[in-house]
Amino acid sequence: MHILGKLTWDAVPFDQPVAMVGAAVVIIVVVGVAALVLAKGYLPYLWREWITSVDHKRIGIMYCILALLMLARAFIDALMMRAQQAVAFHAPGYLPPEHFDQIFSAHGTLMIFFVAMPFVIGLMNFAVPLQLGVRDVAFPTLNSVSFWLTATGALLVNLSLVAGEFSRTGWLPYPPLSELAYSPDVGVDYYCWAIEISGIGTLITGINFVTTILKTRAPGMHYTRMPMFCWTSLASCLLIVAAFPILTATLAMLLLDRYAGFHFFTDTAGGNSMLFMNLIWAWGHLEVYILILPAFGVYSEVVSTFAAKPLFGYRSMVIATMAICLISFMVWLHHFFTMGAGGDVNAAFGIASMIIAIPTGVKIFNWMFTMYGGRVRFTSAMLWAIGFMVSFVIGGLTGVMLAMPTADFELHNSLFLVAHFHNVIITGVIFGVFAGYSYWFPKAFGFVLDETLGKWAFWLWFIGFWVAWGPGYALGLEGMTRRLQRYDVAEWRPLLLLAAVGVLIMLAGILVQLLQLAVSIRTRAQRRDLTGDPWNGRNLEWAVASPPPHFNFAVLPQVNNQEPYWDMKQRAIDSGHLQTPEPHYEPIVMPRNSATGFVCAVFATVTGFALIWHIWWLVLLGLAGAYATFVVFAWRDVQEHIIPADEVARLDRANRAARSQALSRMRADELVVHE
């Protein structure tokens, strides 16, 4: 047996110039960044403050950075697919079929698992403990483990550029195509082990945040006083806890089919490929709501803040959120209405798929009523929210169309379906995380982003999306199916060329966002958020400095209503007592940094890569290292980090003074208005 299992020089795609160029670019960038870090002496700082950090805010920022990096990688795949279809009319194009299949599979996998998921989890990590008025999540070290396992999954997907190839089955590995007989290469194995490892990290996150939200709120923060983002995060994490074990078990069965000769999904050997369809979509449609619910929470925060009004219909929003959480368990079969389940079953799932649109509609109306009569400020974050509302109504209506079995029989597997899915994910989830990114950026880094460039980025994304995917609806109605590497229908070509232009407009939006970040960093001295409240916010995250201290709150706040920070500000302005009595400061105990998460990721990467290539001795080594890490962590005897009372007082006094000055200006402005 070869010492490196199935891994040989033949695994490097020397015969595929496009793949080799992509791999070379990735390697050059990674090596260049590593060399810069070492040359500048940044490594000790990165290790101490970021890599080993268990601070929820730092972990949230790292999740968002990972998501942005993977967005760039996945968008390159989108550009390549659109370029191929633009030139593949009566022609082979520049991508061979097997490479095109890998690209659309990697694009979908990256966008769902390593762009959308890390971004929404990153925003939850950053904002939820601050909004709850607490100092960290329930399990800080496990939070670090979750992030690094997610990063491991992303790394394994990208390693397929260099060694072997990625799955060619689509973003979900349907059998029998994913069975060993039809996919004997390592592509499906890369997919399965990357998702298994990152899925464990996501499941830990779900458990962590359910515990945090239910058990560690500030004094007085009852369930009916939690910010809406906390409610949507709770619903999302409840779905994670329910759904991700299904995904883990399903992929484990597929791996047993491939590695050990089992036949869970082999139709010709006593298995049933439809079992896979049911299981994967029992997770998969829950995943849609896992992603969209936190985005709904972001829109609620943004709309309320920039309309300068409390969220309209708070309790109905809570009920709608939990209704979506519950009904989402009963809709998965609409993904395969055409598979012969029968009229009664199709009707039941079709009705449930239509009913779930009702609580979503409640949210849309509540956001509009929140804006009605308010003093709306059209910041970039607010534009993302309004753009979502306009676009998502269309995406929701097309979803109701597809929920009708009779319509789905005509539109199933067409580009109409793909356009609907992108309508939901891009204008729902991606617009939501960009709104959250713009909204909470000053809280994370202490300075605001350039608003002019932020608005340009929104308009380019908004216009680019509809130029790219508006034609997708028309192409689907004309009969174009998904995943076509080449085509011969002349009527499709103008729309495909228009769609390619749309993707280029979206690319311009990404470039403007990079320019926005560069300009904002360069001019950050003029953009400083000195008060911690640049938007005149309403919830507790705006009650601390920007960026927040490690301990978040010098003294845990007492919550008396749904908008505690807004209430504090208004009472201070109305009474004229702009400086409240100083609290009694005490030392604060915080968890120490830990390398456990990073070390787990190292061993998970080694084990995953070895399993993919059947390097069994390396598998044993990786598992032994992982077990040793667990033993060391379980038996650790580490004194927690204690922040002295005088340090807490120093930081809090500076923040209180800045807020007092800001409130003085606000009171003066209100007196002028009244006069």
Side-chain angles (χ1 to χ4, degrees), residues 578-594:
L578 303 179
Q579 184 72 52
T580 57
E582 193 173 273
H584 173 65
Y585 297 107
E586 296 181 350
I588 295 175
V589 179
M590 296 298 295
R592 283 192 181 275
N593 287 354
S594 172

Side-chain angles (χ1 to χ4, degrees), residues 22 41 93 136 174 293 302 321 622:
D136 212 323
Y174 290 153
L293 282 170
V302 168
T321 297

Side-chain angles (χ1 to χ4, degrees), residues 285 288-289 292 296 334 350 352-361 364 387-404 416-417 419-428 465-466 473:
H285 205 79
V288 174
Y289 295 102
I292 200 69
F296 286 168
H334 70 221
S353 300
M354 296 177 200
I355 289 173
I356 203 169
I358 296 173
T360 305
I364 296 286
F388 150 77
M389 283 183 257
V390 172
S391 300
F392 195 75
V393 168
I394 298 172
L397 290 174
T398 56
V400 173
M401 288 176 59
L402 291 166
M404 294 184 287
F416 187 96
L417 171 66
H420 158 72
F421 188 73
H422 281 78
N423 202 158
V424 171
I425 296 300
I426 293 180
T427 67
F465 169 79
W466 282 109
Y473 286 116

Side-chain angles (χ1 to χ4, degrees), residues 605-645:
T605 303
V606 169
T607 304
F609 187 79
L611 284 165
I612 290 164
W613 289 102
H614 296 199
I615 311 172
W616 302 117
W617 64 268
L618 193 56
V619 171
L620 295 175
L621 186 63
L623 291 174
Y627 180 74
T629 305
F630 162 74
V631 170
V632 171
F633 175 69
W635 289 90
R636 72 196 187 286
D637 183 18
V638 180
Q639 296 296 322
E640 302 294 1
H641 179 51
I642 299 176
I643 303 173

Side-chain angles (χ1 to χ4, degrees), residues 19-35:
M20 287 304 296
V21 169
V25 170
V26 171
I27 291 171
I28 290 170
V29 170
V30 170
V31 171
V33 170

Side-chain angles (χ1 to χ4, degrees), residues 499-568:
V501 171
V503 174
L504 292 176
I505 296 172
M506 292 167 71
L507 174 63
I510 292 176
L511 295 176
V512 169
Q513 286 175 304
L514 293 174
L515 178 63
Q516 177 198 31
L517 186 59
V519 168
S520 301
I521 292 173
R522 194 178 68 245
T523 59
R524 62 188 179 278
Q526 300 99 288
R527 303 176 180 279
R528 287 288 176 203
D529 170 25
L530 299 176
T531 66
D533 186 19
W535 309 127
N536 196 17
R538 310 180 78 84
N539 289 319
L540 288 176
E541 73 265 37
W542 306 109
V544 297
S546 297
H550 180 47
F551 50 82
N552 291 348
F553 297 91
V555 177
L556 294 184
Q558 177 66 45
V559 176
N560 298 309
N561 55 36
Q562 290 173 9
E563 295 182 316
Y565 182 53
W566 183 263
D567 181 61
M568 293 177 200

Side-chain angles (χ1 to χ4, degrees), residues 131-189:
Q131 290 194 328
L132 291 175
V134 297
R135 295 198 168 107
D136 212 323
V137 295
F139 310 113
T141 304
L142 286 181
N143 201 20
S144 173
V145 172
S146 298
F147 166 73
W148 286 108
L149 289 180
T150 302
T152 293
L155 177 60
L156 287 175
V157 172
N158 285 282
L159 280 176
S160 67
L161 284 170
V162 181
E165 58 183 28
F166 194 64
S167 171
R168 290 179 285 173
T169 62
W171 78 277
L172 291 177
Y174 290 153
L177 184 56
S178 58
E179 295 276 320
L180 199 60
Y182 299 98
S183 296
D185 50 68
V186 296
V188 174
D189 302 324

